[in-house]
Amino acid sequence: MRPDLFEAPDYYNLDELLTDEHKLVRDAAREWVKREVSPIIEDYAQKAEFPTQIINGLAEIGAFGPYIPMEYGGAGLDQISYGLIMQEIERGDSGVRSTASVQSSLVMYPIWKYGNEEQRQKYLPKLASGEWIGCFGLTEPDHGSNPSGMVTNYKDMGDHYLLNGAKMWISNAPFAQVAVVWAKNEEGRIHGLIVERGMEGFTTPETHNKWSLRASATGELIFDNVKVPKENLLPNKSGLGAPLGCLDSARYGIAWGAIGAAMDCYDTALRYSKERMQFGKPIGQFQLQQKKLAEMITEITKAQLLTWRLGVLRNDNKATSAQISMAKRNNVDMAINIAREARQILGGMGITGEYSIMRHSMNLESVITYEGTHDIHLLITGLDITGLNAFK
Ligand SMILES: Cc1cc2nc3c(=O)[nH]c(=O)nc-3n(C[C@H](O)[C@H](O)[C@H](O)COP(=O)(O)OP(=O)(O)OC[C@H]3O[C@@H](n4cnc5c(N)ncnc54)[C@H](O)[C@@H]3O)c2cc1C
């Protein structure tokens, strides 16, 4: 892969909306991605391996629990800093951002919000430092968009719970030490359980042959009569709203992350269009190529504004789930379209690993599907504005 020459576009001077702390956090993440992720990520994507050597660095830039209080090892930052970190990481690779999102929003968040003090003390500092990696088990082979239909279940055996079932498409599963697993109790109510690697009957086979998020490890979680200690149940929230609360936080981070992938594709295509000569001119001088680039920067700018405003609402605890759905859907769609157009600007070179665009493009096929598909988020907006439920 070529040297990383990334320069972030800021067409509407949005930096003026950021505090000094936001800019410090973002610039540290940006520099780290240039130094530690860009030089190796193409090789790891080609090998279909997660680069475990970057785990300590992710922890150091605050990517594990950016908004978790410092007393639990988190970075104690606000929601805009959290978003900016996700943007910068996904500028490098959506798979690396997925690992950070899962760790922060889907593992640390539920332990912090729904766990008791002992659970917070036991797990959060180790997850914040990257000593432990976590995963989040909601999706099942027969229940993806409709997780309420899940069949994974646990029974109260007196001194422990007995967990049975299977989860599929779980990011970080193959190497995670800890899994936050959503399962139904004997009354059919959904609860979160913390399952640890090494518990008898718990296995995590890896999912192979992915053409997308190749630098992120994905796997199954299989529970065959797993004895889970009673103290591993998250006591403070149950029902589908519990996992959906985690997804709100992760989807918000994805809305920012997608901007990072789009910025990288745009920046690469813009630079290429000024250097690549055809018919005696740089291809950026042709109107058709300018149309593509002008539309890209317009869409990126709109997404930046949407997401910044959402961050302000999140900081004030005012953002609704439907507002988050709109931003996730809009920004990932924006990024995938930009990746496709940017790839065309690079002609044949666009399909090679010399440039990041094809990798972003393939990664975004997962990002548009996970954490609620493109269509599901549209239906959430539809339900919000009409009051009429298309899911029933
Ligand atoms: C790489 C990757 C990593 C993932 N990581 C995790 C993870 O860490 N943890 C986790 O729990 N899950 C994870 N997922 C799972 C992901 O969230 C699901 O794939 C997603 O929710 C969609 O579920 P599904 O694949 O079963 O598709 P389905 O639900 O079967 O959907 C198939 C199609 O039908 C459409 N559809 C479904 N219902 C409706 C409806 N009511 N109206 C209209 N259209 C509908 C969908 O929009 C979609 O286009 C991951 C997925 C991938 C690909």
Side-chain angles (χ1 to χ4, degrees), residues 361-378:
S361 184
M362 295 195 303
N363 282 342
L364 289 161
E365 292 291 341
S366 287
V367 182
I368 205 165
T369 291
Y370 70 20
E371 307 258 359
T373 68
H374 189 64
D375 287 342
I376 292 296
H377 287 298
L378 185 84

PDB file of all heavy atoms in Angstrom, residues 361-378:
ATOM      1  N   SER A 361     -14.793   0.046   0.399  1.00  0.00           N
ATOM      2  CA  SER A 361     -16.038  -0.278  -0.291  1.00  0.00           C
ATOM      3  C   SER A 361     -16.578  -1.630   0.179  1.00  0.00           C
ATOM      4  O   SER A 361     -17.768  -1.767   0.508  1.00  0.00           O
ATOM      5  CB  SER A 361     -15.756  -0.296  -1.793  1.00  0.00           C
ATOM      6  OG  SER A 361     -16.929  -0.516  -2.497  1.00  0.00           O
ATOM      7  N   MET A 362     -15.703  -2.606   0.252  1.00  0.00           N
ATOM      8  CA  MET A 362     -16.136  -3.948   0.695  1.00  0.00           C
ATOM      9  C   MET A 362     -16.509  -3.928   2.174  1.00  0.00           C
ATOM     10  O   MET A 362     -17.497  -4.543   2.581  1.00  0.00           O
ATOM     11  CB  MET A 362     -15.026  -4.964   0.435  1.00  0.00           C
ATOM     12  CG  MET A 362     -14.759  -5.141  -1.051  1.00  0.00           C
ATOM     13  SD  MET A 362     -13.782  -6.613  -1.413  1.00  0.00           S
ATOM     14  CE  MET A 362     -12.329  -6.352  -0.459  1.00  0.00           C
ATOM     15  N   ASN A 363     -15.729  -3.222   2.981  1.00  0.00           N
ATOM     16  CA  ASN A 363     -16.056  -3.137   4.414  1.00  0.00           C
ATOM     17  C   ASN A 363     -17.449  -2.559   4.635  1.00  0.00           C
ATOM     18  O   ASN A 363     -18.210  -3.021   5.489  1.00  0.00           O
ATOM     19  CB  ASN A 363     -15.058  -2.226   5.135  1.00  0.00           C
ATOM     20  CG  ASN A 363     -13.730  -2.898   5.404  1.00  0.00           C
ATOM     21  OD1 ASN A 363     -13.635  -4.121   5.356  1.00  0.00           O
ATOM     22  ND2 ASN A 363     -12.716  -2.106   5.698  1.00  0.00           N
ATOM     23  N   LEU A 364     -17.755  -1.525   3.861  1.00  0.00           N
ATOM     24  CA  LEU A 364     -19.017  -0.814   4.091  1.00  0.00           C
ATOM     25  C   LEU A 364     -20.232  -1.682   3.770  1.00  0.00           C
ATOM     26  O   LEU A 364     -21.338  -1.417   4.247  1.00  0.00           O
ATOM     27  CB  LEU A 364     -19.028   0.502   3.301  1.00  0.00           C
ATOM     28  CG  LEU A 364     -18.064   1.561   3.878  1.00  0.00           C
ATOM     29  CD1 LEU A 364     -17.760   2.647   2.839  1.00  0.00           C
ATOM     30  CD2 LEU A 364     -18.606   2.192   5.156  1.00  0.00           C
ATOM     31  N   GLU A 365     -20.027  -2.760   3.007  1.00  0.00           N
ATOM     32  CA  GLU A 365     -21.142  -3.698   2.764  1.00  0.00           C
ATOM     33  C   GLU A 365     -21.585  -4.353   4.075  1.00  0.00           C
ATOM     34  O   GLU A 365     -22.761  -4.660   4.248  1.00  0.00           O
ATOM     35  CB  GLU A 365     -20.739  -4.776   1.745  1.00  0.00           C
ATOM     36  CG  GLU A 365     -20.511  -4.254   0.336  1.00  0.00           C
ATOM     37  CD  GLU A 365     -21.781  -3.774  -0.359  1.00  0.00           C
ATOM     38  OE1 GLU A 365     -22.892  -4.132   0.057  1.00  0.00           O
ATOM     39  OE2 GLU A 365     -21.640  -3.003  -1.336  1.00  0.00           O
ATOM     40  N   SER A 366     -20.645  -4.564   4.994  1.00  0.00           N
ATOM     41  CA  SER A 366     -21.044  -5.073   6.321  1.00  0.00           C
ATOM     42  C   SER A 366     -21.639  -3.959   7.164  1.00  0.00           C
ATOM     43  O   SER A 366     -22.627  -4.157   7.875  1.00  0.00           O
ATOM     44  CB  SER A 366     -19.835  -5.639   7.077  1.00  0.00           C
ATOM     45  OG  SER A 366     -19.435  -6.847   6.529  1.00  0.00           O
ATOM     46  N   VAL A 367     -21.018  -2.787   7.077  1.00  0.00           N
ATOM     47  CA  VAL A 367     -21.455  -1.690   7.946  1.00  0.00           C
ATOM     48  C   VAL A 367     -22.896  -1.288   7.620  1.00  0.00           C
ATOM     49  O   VAL A 367     -23.668  -0.914   8.500  1.00  0.00           O
ATOM     50  CB  VAL A 367     -20.470  -0.493   7.850  1.00  0.00           C
ATOM     51  CG1 VAL A 367     -20.887   0.635   8.782  1.00  0.00           C
ATOM     52  CG2 VAL A 367     -19.043  -0.952   8.178  1.00  0.00           C
ATOM     53  N   ILE A 368     -23.272  -1.427   6.341  1.00  0.00           N
ATOM     54  CA  ILE A 368     -24.651  -1.057   5.954  1.00  0.00           C
ATOM     55  C   ILE A 368     -25.652  -2.136   6.405  1.00  0.00           C
ATOM     56  O   ILE A 368     -26.854  -1.902   6.444  1.00  0.00           O
ATOM     57  CB  ILE A 368     -24.738  -0.792   4.424  1.00  0.00           C
ATOM     58  CG1 ILE A 368     -25.910   0.141   4.116  1.00  0.00           C
ATOM     59  CG2 ILE A 368     -24.786  -2.087   3.613  1.00  0.00           C
ATOM     60  CD1 ILE A 368     -25.884   0.752   2.738  1.00  0.00           C
ATOM     61  N   THR A 369     -25.124  -3.297   6.796  1.00  0.00           N
ATOM     62  CA  THR A 369     -25.997  -4.415   7.203  1.00  0.00           C
ATOM     63  C   THR A 369     -26.045  -4.589   8.716  1.00  0.00           C
ATOM     64  O   THR A 369     -27.105  -4.857   9.282  1.00  0.00           O
ATOM     65  CB  THR A 369     -25.488  -5.731   6.550  1.00  0.00           C
ATOM     66  OG1 THR A 369     -25.718  -5.631   5.143  1.00  0.00           O
ATOM     67  CG2 THR A 369     -26.185  -6.950   7.096  1.00  0.00           C
ATOM     68  N   TYR A 370     -24.869  -4.419   9.383  1.00  0.00           N
ATOM     69  CA  TYR A 370     -24.913  -4.721  10.828  1.00  0.00           C
ATOM     70  C   TYR A 370     -25.437  -3.532  11.634  1.00  0.00           C
ATOM     71  O   TYR A 370     -25.583  -2.442  11.120  1.00  0.00           O
ATOM     72  CB  TYR A 370     -23.588  -5.261  11.344  1.00  0.00           C
ATOM     73  CG  TYR A 370     -22.369  -4.366  11.448  1.00  0.00           C
ATOM     74  CD1 TYR A 370     -22.429  -2.988  11.475  1.00  0.00           C
ATOM     75  CD2 TYR A 370     -21.109  -4.960  11.562  1.00  0.00           C
ATOM     76  CE1 TYR A 370     -21.289  -2.213  11.617  1.00  0.00           C
ATOM     77  CE2 TYR A 370     -19.959  -4.193  11.693  1.00  0.00           C
ATOM     78  CZ  TYR A 370     -20.071  -2.814  11.714  1.00  0.00           C
ATOM     79  OH  TYR A 370     -18.951  -2.061  11.850  1.00  0.00           O
ATOM     80  N   GLU A 371     -25.790  -3.851  12.879  1.00  0.00           N
ATOM     81  CA  GLU A 371     -26.363  -2.834  13.782  1.00  0.00           C
ATOM     82  C   GLU A 371     -27.635  -2.234  13.190  1.00  0.00           C
ATOM     83  O   GLU A 371     -27.886  -1.036  13.307  1.00  0.00           O
ATOM     84  CB  GLU A 371     -25.351  -1.713  14.028  1.00  0.00           C
ATOM     85  CG  GLU A 371     -24.030  -2.236  14.490  1.00  0.00           C
ATOM     86  CD  GLU A 371     -23.833  -2.076  15.971  1.00  0.00           C
ATOM     87  OE1 GLU A 371     -24.732  -1.542  16.638  1.00  0.00           O
ATOM     88  OE2 GLU A 371     -22.780  -2.512  16.443  1.00  0.00           O
ATOM     89  N   GLY A 372     -28.432  -3.080  12.556  1.00  0.00           N
ATOM     90  CA  GLY A 372     -29.661  -2.629  11.896  1.00  0.00           C
ATOM     91  C   GLY A 372     -29.367  -2.347  10.437  1.00  0.00           C
ATOM     92  O   GLY A 372     -28.522  -1.520  10.121  1.00  0.00           O
ATOM     93  N   THR A 373     -30.092  -3.053   9.549  1.00  0.00           N
ATOM     94  CA  THR A 373     -29.813  -2.874   8.113  1.00  0.00           C
ATOM     95  C   THR A 373     -30.328  -1.509   7.657  1.00  0.00           C
ATOM     96  O   THR A 373     -31.124  -0.849   8.333  1.00  0.00           O
ATOM     97  CB  THR A 373     -30.506  -3.965   7.276  1.00  0.00           C
ATOM     98  OG1 THR A 373     -31.921  -3.752   7.350  1.00  0.00           O
ATOM     99  CG2 THR A 373     -30.172  -5.370   7.761  1.00  0.00           C
ATOM    100  N   HIS A 374     -29.905  -1.155   6.439  1.00  0.00           N
ATOM    101  CA  HIS A 374     -30.346   0.090   5.795  1.00  0.00           C
ATOM    102  C   HIS A 374     -31.881   0.189   5.795  1.00  0.00           C
ATOM    103  O   HIS A 374     -32.453   1.230   6.131  1.00  0.00           O
ATOM    104  CB  HIS A 374     -29.800   0.041   4.358  1.00  0.00           C
ATOM    105  CG  HIS A 374     -29.959   1.292   3.583  1.00  0.00           C
ATOM    106  ND1 HIS A 374     -29.336   2.468   3.917  1.00  0.00           N
ATOM    107  CD2 HIS A 374     -30.683   1.551   2.460  1.00  0.00           C
ATOM    108  CE1 HIS A 374     -29.649   3.399   3.042  1.00  0.00           C
ATOM    109  NE2 HIS A 374     -30.469   2.875   2.152  1.00  0.00           N
ATOM    110  N   ASP A 375     -32.533  -0.918   5.443  1.00  0.00           N
ATOM    111  CA  ASP A 375     -33.999  -0.897   5.369  1.00  0.00           C
ATOM    112  C   ASP A 375     -34.639  -0.820   6.754  1.00  0.00           C
ATOM    113  O   ASP A 375     -35.648  -0.138   6.944  1.00  0.00           O
ATOM    114  CB  ASP A 375     -34.510  -2.164   4.650  1.00  0.00           C
ATOM    115  CG  ASP A 375     -34.228  -2.113   3.161  1.00  0.00           C
ATOM    116  OD1 ASP A 375     -33.978  -1.009   2.646  1.00  0.00           O
ATOM    117  OD2 ASP A 375     -34.248  -3.179   2.516  1.00  0.00           O
ATOM    118  N   ILE A 376     -34.061  -1.505   7.714  1.00  0.00           N
ATOM    119  CA  ILE A 376     -34.638  -1.481   9.069  1.00  0.00           C
ATOM    120  C   ILE A 376     -34.580  -0.055   9.633  1.00  0.00           C
ATOM    121  O   ILE A 376     -35.541   0.432  10.241  1.00  0.00           O
ATOM    122  CB  ILE A 376     -33.910  -2.495   9.987  1.00  0.00           C
ATOM    123  CG1 ILE A 376     -34.208  -3.943   9.539  1.00  0.00           C
ATOM    124  CG2 ILE A 376     -34.267  -2.281  11.461  1.00  0.00           C
ATOM    125  CD1 ILE A 376     -35.653  -4.394   9.630  1.00  0.00           C
ATOM    126  N   HIS A 377     -33.478   0.660   9.401  1.00  0.00           N
ATOM    127  CA  HIS A 377     -33.395   2.040   9.904  1.00  0.00           C
ATOM    128  C   HIS A 377     -34.409   2.948   9.215  1.00  0.00           C
ATOM    129  O   HIS A 377     -34.955   3.862   9.830  1.00  0.00           O
ATOM    130  CB  HIS A 377     -31.968   2.581   9.776  1.00  0.00           C
ATOM    131  CG  HIS A 377     -31.050   1.965  10.783  1.00  0.00           C
ATOM    132  ND1 HIS A 377     -31.240   2.121  12.144  1.00  0.00           N
ATOM    133  CD2 HIS A 377     -29.981   1.151  10.652  1.00  0.00           C
ATOM    134  CE1 HIS A 377     -30.314   1.444  12.796  1.00  0.00           C
ATOM    135  NE2 HIS A 377     -29.544   0.838  11.913  1.00  0.00           N
ATOM    136  N   LEU A 378     -34.690   2.678   7.945  1.00  0.00           N
ATOM    137  CA  LEU A 378     -35.718   3.459   7.252  1.00  0.00           C
ATOM    138  C   LEU A 378     -37.073   3.240   7.914  1.00  0.00           C
ATOM    139  O   LEU A 378     -37.845   4.180   8.132  1.00  0.00           O
ATOM    140  CB  LEU A 378     -35.781   3.038   5.778  1.00  0.00           C
ATOM    141  CG  LEU A 378     -36.729   3.882   4.938  1.00  0.00           C
ATOM    142  CD1 LEU A 378     -36.028   5.148   4.474  1.00  0.00           C
ATOM    143  CD2 LEU A 378     -37.227   3.096   3.741  1.00  0.00           C
TER     144      LEU A 378
END
